[in-house]
Structure formats: C-alpha cells, structure tokens
C-alpha cells in the first residue's frame, strides 16, 4: 500500500479504500486473509492456544446456568458446550429444573441439522402460539441478523412438511391462529426500508406463497421498520401494528387482520406497553396533555379503554430524579414491574392497577448493590401467574438465578453459576471522574486493593443508545486478567441510559464527542489517583464502542497504551449507506445534511486520522457475517492506518454475526486474541502485577 492520508475532512468522499466494502469481493477477501495470517502469526502462539482452551472450557462447563423461558408449562433453553457447539434446543419442567441435574428433552440438535443440510446454521429463536405445538424457528447462517424461517412441530420434533418456510431475510412473525401469520420481512421487491428492515406487514395464510400474502400495514422507505404482534391478554385477541420511524420514535395502532384501525393519540417518542385493559407509557420528553404536565422519563398508567374514549387522567407511577432513572418496565401476571437505577443501585417496584386506582410496592429480598436483573419467564403474558426470575451478581460474585413466585414470595435460588476465578485479595470500588465540562462520570474499578501506580488496566465502556452498562461477573476478564494480577475498569459514559434520557441525549448527536471526552477523563483519573500510568492502560469497545475506541486513538492517544476495537462503527461519512446504518441516524445524525455532518466529522475517526501522530497500537476486529455493522468499517480503518505507517492489526473470522463467534470456542479465541495483543502492547506479562 502507498502511504496516503485519504479520505480527509477537507475531501471526505475521496476514499481509496471503498473496495474493502465489497464483503465477498476477491480483492477484499485477499486483504482479509493476508491480515488474518499476520495477526495470528504475531499473537496466536502457545499462550493464545492455552488461554483459548481455558476460556472455551469455562464457556462449556456443565454447571453454567441454563437460562430459560416458559411456555405451556415447559421451560425452554438453548444449550451450548464442547459436544454441542451450535447448541441443543431443549425443554424441561420447573420441578426438574429445580434439581441439581435436570432431565432435559431435546427438541432440535442444531449441530446435527447443520451437518445434515450442509449449512452454517445457528439457532435464532422461535415464534410460538400459546397452546400449540407448532412454532416458527429462525435459523441464522453464521450468526447474521437475517434468518430463514421454518415451521417446526415440537411433538414430532420434525420440520412440518409443506409448512411455512421463508428464505433468508431480516424477518419476524407472530401467530394469528393455527394457519395464519403476521409477517414483517424485508424479503421481496420494495419490502425493505433504507435501513434494511421490514417496510410492510403481510397476512400470510397456510397453503399460499409469501408473494400472495396481502400487505395489511406499511410505512415509507425512510422509516426504520414496521412490525406487529398479537396481544392475547384480552378476548378477542388484539393486534398491534407499530411504525418505528427511528430508534426512539414509534407510532402504535390497534387493528385486526385487515390492518390498523385506531392509532393511539400519543407522541411518537413515548414508549408503551399494554396488558388487558391497561396502558403504561414513558415519555422521553416533558409532556403536557389535558392541562397537566408530566416529566420526561416518568411512568404513567391509565385504562386503555378510558384512554381510547378520550380520558387523559394518567396516574403517575414513577418520577425520575437527577440520578434516579427508569431502565425498563414490563407486565407480569397483570402487574407492572418497574426496573430503576437509583445512583446506579438497582430498585424494582411492582404497580398493581385496579378500577379504584394503582397500588405500588417494592420488590423485596433482592440486594440493593451489585447487578440485579428481573424479568418474566413467560413467553405469553396470558399464561403468566406473576412469577419473576432474577439474576444477581457483581464483578467478584458469579450470577445466581432466582425465582420469585407470583412476585411476592421470597426469592429462591434455582441455579448458582460456578466461581470461575480466584478473587482473593480483589476489591470492587466505585469512583467518579470529572469530564471536560464538569460532569461527574461514574466508573467501577475491580482489582487488587491499593494503588501500585503501574497496574495493567483493562478499560471498557459503551456510551450509546440509552443503554446502561453494569459491572457484571465477567468470566473471561476474571480468569485471564484479574486472576493474573490485572485491574478492570468499566465507565458509565453519557450516551448511555444510567441516569435517564438527559444522560442519553447529552451523549448523542453532537454530544457523542462529549461521551468520548468522558472516557478519556476516566483514563486520566486513574493516573491522577495513582492506579496506573497511561502506557499501562488497555481499552476495548465494540459496535458503538468502536467509535469510542477509534476516537481515543486519534483524539487522546497519550492516555492509552493499546486499543482493541471490535465489530466497530467508524466511518461516519458513509455509515448510513452500509447495511443497517440508516437506522442509527437518530443516535448520530445524517451525514448527508451539511449541518449534521459538521458534528459527525468531529468524531469520524476514519477522516480525522492523520500521519505523524503518537497513536498507540490498535487491533481492529470484526466478523464477515455481521450484517448489522458493515465489516468495511474495520477493514478500511485498518488499511488507512497501516498506509500511514501506524501499528494497526486486523482480524476478521468468517462467521459470528454482530458478535465474537458462532460457538464457544470461536468466541473464546476472538477474546483471547484481543487480550494477548493488549497485554503485549502494554508490556505486561501474566502474573507480574
């Protein structure tokens, strides 16, 4: 390659690396294979093989928790281990699940199916109907979001002859009755939005081709997608149609098999869920209706029938605070469960509606520190008795899966994950860094007590799409970093949802650059506190975190010793034209609008990279089957940096989707490769810390 620094901010479309966007292009694949060989030759030696075997064995352990969902009295699980790398789809009963070694009934062996059909199948989920043995299975090639749909009978454990079958596409279905599906699919001429998702909902009847299925709901190509679902918590069943214009805006309508009938009179930025005759909504912005004002991120409840009749007298079920925010909500057994973070501490409240008003109580028996997740085990709310599942953990305590019967009983431990690493002498502490504008940025540090001034630190963060990151028990980091003397740090950047919409909005659009400043502030705080020095800080981020890591490279190179950038989004000039990129305009902005390109170009590292800078070594890794974030982002950034003479490494396995591998061994190898690179480049030999 000839040294050059194109494209530039002055000529952002003068891109000599466009050919690397051809995913299966011969020239592009030759580049990938050459890069893979070099990277594996450098970092794939005996230590890599040893640690990959260690980590894969951890992922394959027989005493790992088998997470389950419930339908028709059975608990369903997809299980992967060394003997079943693609997985067994299986089921058991709650009584069996309580046992140390439950008896499982295998429904489908994905490895056997892949071998029989000569296809790279992975299990992508099942669409079910309460009381029916027929399901629609989603099968993914190599982990891609696009799936093939096939009808399967749980009783016979066979695919249904002449059943519903749909070729590969980004698709979803829900059952109307035994012979009718609502199909949301990008398959077919004119059926995809510019984001690559479904533009229409079709009513697909048994015995007809998908081409004959009439369109009953649609949107314009510039919207993100449409979908529908059947609500069986009321007789007769209610069909919902959703037009999602972007990541944060929805329009919901009630309808029938003929299509939408009544559009709910709500702002598009309200998130809502219904159960029977109850409607729960959370506005993203302050909302005034019928002379009454409600805060952004409040939780509101009302009778659905009353709302449809014109009533707007909402009950306020939750009010946010500056650092107290609603993270999610769901219905279970006719009760609304609220998931809250209060100064990053987990709180769960149960709201019970009645004709005389709403009552509220706190979910008892769960810790108020660490990480706690609560959800309903039931796939169909009509079958829920109010049981809840909870997962409890922290960076040094492996997860415990608990059952809270009817949402009121004391939590019962169903399964306890094994201790994977030796945590003796390790502590978890919480800190705050001060960002460039004075905002306090929380972070969690795990490692040896005290400050050595030279700790090998692994930093990570996300900072996007309103998603809160939590300090969970991480087997790979625990075994291969903490146990060997290292320190880990997880930062809560703006752009996430830890403190609600105001925290998210501060780190999106033009604020995305501020989110990156937050991460750099945490790195500086580690040095200020005497934990380490910049050359000993390794940082990793994936997907939206890929923008973060490449901005650390070009904006804050002096604060890091090495960077690991995975399945990344990087080129902010062309991202909307690559795969699902257009669906993220609400998070980043539209580069085709000059005023929005003005802020996008400030954190498009692909355009800001320039020669002659003190950039630390970087490994950029993606997967060829990622049909969400285009692998061209990673390929082009690596090529450009190498052409400028920087130490930039690249790795791209053939499968994995928007993740790190299609099975436990591949996932382990992907992570270990990153660890080996980071350790070598920050000058750390295992166990020296």
């Amino acid at each position: 390659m000839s040294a050059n620094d194109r494209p530039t901010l002055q000529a952002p479309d003068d891109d000599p690396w466009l050919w690397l966007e051809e995913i299966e292009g011969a020239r592009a694949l030759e580049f990938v294979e050459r890069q893979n060989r070099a990277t594996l030759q450098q970092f794939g030696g005996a230590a890599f093989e040893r640690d990959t075997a260690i980590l894969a064995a951890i992922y394959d352990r027989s005493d790992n928790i088998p997470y389950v969902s419930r339908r028709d009295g059975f608990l369903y699980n997809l299980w992967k281990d060394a003997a079943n790398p693609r997985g067994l789809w299986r089921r058991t009963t709650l009584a069996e699940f309580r046992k140390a070694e439950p008896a499982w009934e295998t429904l489908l062996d994905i490895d056997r199916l892949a071998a029989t059909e000569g296809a790279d199948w992975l299990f992508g989920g099942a669409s079910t109907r309460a009381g029916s043995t027929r399901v629609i299975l989603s099968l993914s090639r190599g982990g891609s979001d696009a799936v093939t749909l096939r009808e399967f009978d749980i009783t016979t454990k066979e695919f249904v002859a002449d059943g519903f079958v749909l070729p590969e596409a980004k698709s979803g279905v829900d059952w109307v009755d035994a012979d009718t599906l609502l199909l949301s699919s990008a398959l077919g001429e004119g059926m995809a939005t510019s984001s690559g998702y479904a533009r229409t909902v079709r009513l697909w009847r048994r015995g007809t081709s998908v081409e004959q299925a009439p369109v009953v709901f649609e949107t314009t190509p510039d919207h993100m997608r449409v979908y529908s679902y059947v609500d069986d918590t009321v007789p007769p069943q209610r069909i919902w149609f959703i037009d999602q214009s972007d990541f944060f805006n929805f329009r919901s309508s009630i309808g029938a098999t003929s299509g939408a009938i009544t559009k709910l009179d709500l702002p598009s930025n309200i998130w809502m869920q219904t159960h029977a005759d109850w409607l729960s909504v959370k506005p993203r912005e302050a909302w005034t209706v019928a002379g009454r004002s409600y805060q952004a991120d409040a939780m509101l409840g009302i009778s659905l029938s009353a709302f449809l009749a014109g009533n707007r007298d909402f009950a306020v079920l939750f009010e946010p605070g500056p650092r107290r925010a609603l993270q999610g909500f769901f219905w279970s057994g006719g009760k609304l469960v609220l998931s809250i973070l209060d100064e990053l501490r987990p709180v769960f409240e149960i709201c019970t509606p009645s004709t005389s008003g709403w009552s509220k109580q706190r979910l008892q028996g769960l810790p108020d520190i660490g990480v706690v997740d609560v959800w309903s085990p039931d796939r169909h709310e009509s079958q829920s008795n109010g049981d809840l599942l909870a997962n409890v953990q922290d960076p040094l305590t492996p997860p415990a899966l608990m059952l809270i019967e009817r949402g009121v009983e004391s939590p019962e431990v169903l399964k306890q994950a094994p201790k994977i690493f030796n945590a003796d002498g390790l502590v978890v502490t919480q800190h705050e860094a001060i960002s460039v504008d004075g905002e306090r940025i929380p972070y969690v540090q795990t490692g040896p007590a005290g400050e050595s001034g030279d700790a090998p630190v692994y930093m990570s963060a996300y900072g996007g799409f309103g998603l809160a990151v939590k300090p969970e028990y991480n087997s790979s980091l625990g075994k291969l970093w903490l146990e060997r003397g290292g320190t880990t740090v997880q930062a809560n950047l703006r752009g996430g949802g830890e403190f609600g919409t105001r925290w998210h909005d501060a780190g999106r659009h033009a604020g995305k650059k501020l989110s990156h400043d937050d991460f750099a502030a945490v790195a500086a705080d580690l040095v200020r506190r005497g934990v380490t020095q910049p050359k000993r800080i390794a940082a990793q981020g994936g997907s939206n975190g890929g923008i973060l890591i490449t901005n650390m490279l070009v904006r804050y190179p002096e604060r890091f010793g090495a960077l690991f950038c995975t399945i990344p989004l990087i080129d902010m000039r062309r991202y909307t034209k690559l795969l699902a990129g257009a669906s993220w305009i609400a998070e980043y902005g539209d580069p085709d609008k000059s005023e929005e390109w003005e802020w996008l170009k400030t954190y498009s590292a692909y355009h800001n990279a320039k020669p002659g800078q003190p950039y630390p070594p970087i490994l950029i890794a993606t997967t060829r089957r990622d049909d969400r974030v285009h692998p061209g982002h990673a390929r082009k950034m690596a090529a450009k940096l190498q052409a400028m003479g920087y130490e930039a490494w690249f790795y791209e396995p053939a499968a994995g989707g928007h993740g790190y591998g299609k099975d436990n061994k591949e996932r382990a190898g992907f992570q270990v490769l990153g660890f080996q690179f980071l350790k070598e480049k920050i000058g750390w030999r295992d166990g020296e810390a």
Side-chain angles (χ1 to χ4, degrees):
M1 301 177 186
S2 60
N4 67 77
D5 57 356
R6 295 181 295 158
T8 64
L9 293 178
Q10 293 70 34
D13 301 307
D14 183 14
D15 189 348
W17 312 109
L18 279 178
W19 53 275
L20 286 169
E21 293 180 4
E22 298 176 22
I23 296 176
E24 301 291 344
R27 186 183 176 199
L29 290 182
E30 192 278 330
F31 167 87
V32 169
E33 293 307 312
R34 185 173 68 252
Q35 296 285 330
N36 284 352
R37 285 194 302 271
T39 299
L40 290 172
Q41 182 177 356
Q42 181 69 23
F43 306 105
F48 168 81
E49 297 294 342
R50 177 201 66 205
D51 286 353
T52 297
I54 290 172
L55 191 53
I58 289 171
Y59 292 155
D60 287 334
R61 285 181 64 131
S62 61
D63 55 353
N64 287 331
I65 295 177
Y67 291 97
V68 294
S69 62
R70 184 167 64 185
R71 180 177 68 86
D72 295 332
F74 287 97
L75 303 182
Y76 290 80
N77 163 259
L78 180 71
W79 179 258
K80 294 183 178 183
D81 58 24
N84 307 281
R86 296 175 185 271
L88 296 175
W89 188 44
R90 59 186 190 169
R91 68 179 182 180
T92 191
T93 63
L94 180 57
E96 276 292 323
F97 191 70
R98 283 190 162 104
K99 298 178 181 178
E101 296 185 8
W104 293 90
E105 176 190 5
T106 297
L107 303 173
L108 183 63
D109 184 328
I110 312 301
D111 292 274
R112 183 179 301 168
L113 176 69
T116 300
E117 299 188 350
D120 191 17
W121 291 133
L122 294 178
F123 186 79
S127 176
T128 65
R129 187 169 69 92
S132 174
T133 64
R134 298 283 184 89
V135 303
I136 301 294
L137 293 185
S138 297
L139 296 172
S140 163
R141 284 194 303 120
S144 63
D145 288 347
V147 293
T148 295
L149 302 181
R150 293 165 68 176
E151 189 175 5
F152 185 82
D153 192 300
I154 291 172
T155 302
T156 65
K157 302 177 184 177
E158 300 284 348
F159 289 102
V160 177
D162 300 322
F164 289 106
V165 176
L166 191 75
E168 185 179 58
K170 291 185 178 181
S171 305
V173 296
D174 203 2
W175 292 89
V176 176
D177 56 43
D179 297 309
T180 312
L181 298 174
L182 287 167
L183 172 67
S184 307
S185 176
L187 181 72
E189 185 69 28
M191 295 296 177
T193 65
S194 58
S195 299
Y197 296 107
R199 193 183 66 80
T200 67
V201 175
R202 288 172 271 186
L203 189 69
W204 191 10
R205 300 190 187 278
R206 187 178 299 281
T208 64
S209 68
V210 69
E211 291 79 14
Q212 295 172 304
V215 172
V216 296
F217 187 68
E218 62 183 308
T219 190
T220 54
D222 61 317
H223 279 202
M224 179 177 167
R225 63 169 180 162
V226 295
Y227 59 96
S228 62
Y229 62 93
V230 177
D231 178 1
D232 56 4
T233 62
V234 288
Q237 65 185 19
R238 180 190 292 138
I239 297 178
W240 287 94
F241 294 94
I242 313 297
D243 181 354
Q244 185 176 0
S245 56
D246 61 40
F247 233 90
F248 312 113
N249 287 274
F250 309 77
R251 292 290 186 184
S252 301
S253 301
I254 300 172
T257 54
S258 58
I261 298 173
T262 303
K263 181 184 292 185
L264 267 62
D265 181 22
L266 291 168
S268 64
N269 64 3
I270 275 183
W271 293 353
M272 55 154 277
Q273 289 193 21
T274 62
H275 172 85
D277 190 42
W278 298 104
L279 170 66
S280 53
V281 300
K282 182 180 84 74
R284 289 192 82 253
E285 298 176 355
W287 181 37
T288 299
V289 60
R292 189 176 175 188
S293 296
Y294 303 98
Q295 291 187 64
D297 293 344
M299 187 78 251
L300 313 176
I302 196 171
S303 158
L304 178 59
S305 57
F307 177 85
L308 293 173
N311 188 332
R312 296 296 182 269
D313 186 18
F314 289 93
V316 179
L317 308 178
F318 169 83
E319 290 189 285
R323 292 169 83 87
R324 176 180 168 89
L326 188 64
Q327 300 299 302
F329 56 99
F330 62 90
W331 288 89
S332 177
K335 299 179 180 182
L336 182 66
V337 182
L338 308 183
S339 172
I340 301 160
L341 281 182
D342 189 345
E343 287 286 357
L344 300 179
R345 293 174 177 262
V347 177
F348 296 90
E349 295 179 348
I350 298 179
C351 305
T352 305
S354 70
T355 54
S356 59
W358 294 72
S359 63
K360 185 166 64 172
Q361 64 184 107
R362 184 164 173 169
L363 190 59
Q364 300 297 320
L366 296 172
D368 61 359
I369 58 175
V371 175
V372 183
D373 295 299
V374 174
W375 67 96
S376 170
D378 296 293
R379 294 294 297 270
H380 299 282
E381 175 57 20
S382 61
Q383 295 183 334
S384 174
N385 63 356
D387 286 353
L388 298 172
L389 291 175
N391 209 36
V392 178
Q393 61 189 306
D394 67 39
L396 300 180
T397 307
L401 178 65
M402 298 180 174
L403 173 66
I404 309 171
E405 293 189 284
R406 298 182 301 283
V408 296
E409 299 296 330
S410 296
E412 167 197 357
V413 176
L414 291 176
K415 300 292 176 185
Q416 175 66 62
K419 292 184 177 180
I420 297 302
F421 59 93
N422 183 358
D424 293 348
L426 302 180
V427 296
V428 180
T429 54
Q430 293 183 306
H431 308 272
E432 289 183 338
I434 305 302
S435 194
V436 292
D437 61 346
E439 181 63 81
R440 294 180 294 141
I441 309 303
Y443 65 94
V444 173
Q445 177 179 322
T446 305
E451 288 78 37
S452 69
D454 196 39
V457 173
Y458 179 100
M459 279 186 67
S460 64
Y462 186 72
F465 294 92
L467 298 176
V469 297
K470 303 174 183 179
E472 299 173 338
Y473 188 82
N474 187 308
S475 298
S476 59
L477 283 173
K479 189 66 177 178
L480 303 180
W481 202 277
L482 290 174
E483 187 178 87
R484 297 178 181 179
T487 295
T488 64
V489 169
Q490 186 177 66
N492 300 107
L493 313 182
R494 281 174 287 187
E498 290 85 349
F499 302 126
T501 297
R502 67 105 183 167
W503 192 255
H504 173 211
D505 285 350
R508 72 180 181 122
H509 286 165
K512 190 63 66 179
K513 185 179 179 182
L514 200 58
S515 176
H516 304 157
D517 293 329
D518 295 348
F519 193 69
V522 172
D525 199 58
L526 294 172
V527 176
R528 180 193 65 80
R529 288 178 44 236
V531 175
T532 191
Q533 50 186 311
K535 70 179 182 180
R536 297 280 272 181
I537 299 179
Q540 185 270 332
S543 194
N544 169 77
I547 310 175
L548 168 68
I549 293 300
T550 51
N551 270 270
M552 294 306 99
L553 181 80
V554 302
R555 295 186 58 218
Y556 290 99
E558 73 284 356
R559 298 193 186 184
F560 300 91
L563 300 169
F564 183 31
C565 179
T566 62
I567 51 174
L569 186 66
I570 301 175
D571 180 353
M572 304 311 293
R573 181 67 171 183
R574 285 184 52 77
Y575 86 92
T576 58
K577 298 172 175 62
L578 301 174
L579 296 176
S583 66
W584 310 320
I585 288 175
E587 178 73 12
Y588 305 119
D590 187 346
D592 289 336
K593 296 179 179 178
S594 58
E595 67 276 15
E596 296 184 16
W597 171 242
E598 284 303 306
W599 75 60
L600 279 161
K601 72 182 183 182
T602 67
Y603 56 84
S604 184
Y606 186 55
H607 295 86
N608 284 296
K610 53 188 177 183
Q613 306 302 306
Y615 294 165
I618 186 170
L619 169 60
I620 306 174
T622 185
T623 76
R624 198 166 312 149
R625 289 297 298 168
D626 188 348
D627 56 352
R628 193 180 311 173
V629 178
H630 197 290
H633 286 279
R635 293 174 177 181
K636 295 196 304 178
M637 188 66 177
K640 180 177 180 180
L641 290 172
Q642 290 173 1
M644 290 179 176
Y646 292 113
E647 184 179 356
W649 300 86
F650 177 82
Y651 179 64
E652 180 188 298
H658 193 56
Y660 290 174
K662 66 183 179 184
D663 57 38
N664 289 340
K665 185 176 180 180
E666 286 190 4
R667 182 159 62 103
F670 193 106
Q671 292 175 286
V672 169
L673 188 68
F675 293 156
Q676 292 296 321
F677 165 79
L678 293 174
K679 288 178 178 181
E680 178 178 315
K681 296 308 172 184
I682 64 171
W684 179 39
R685 293 182 178 179
D686 287 345
E688 74 169 18

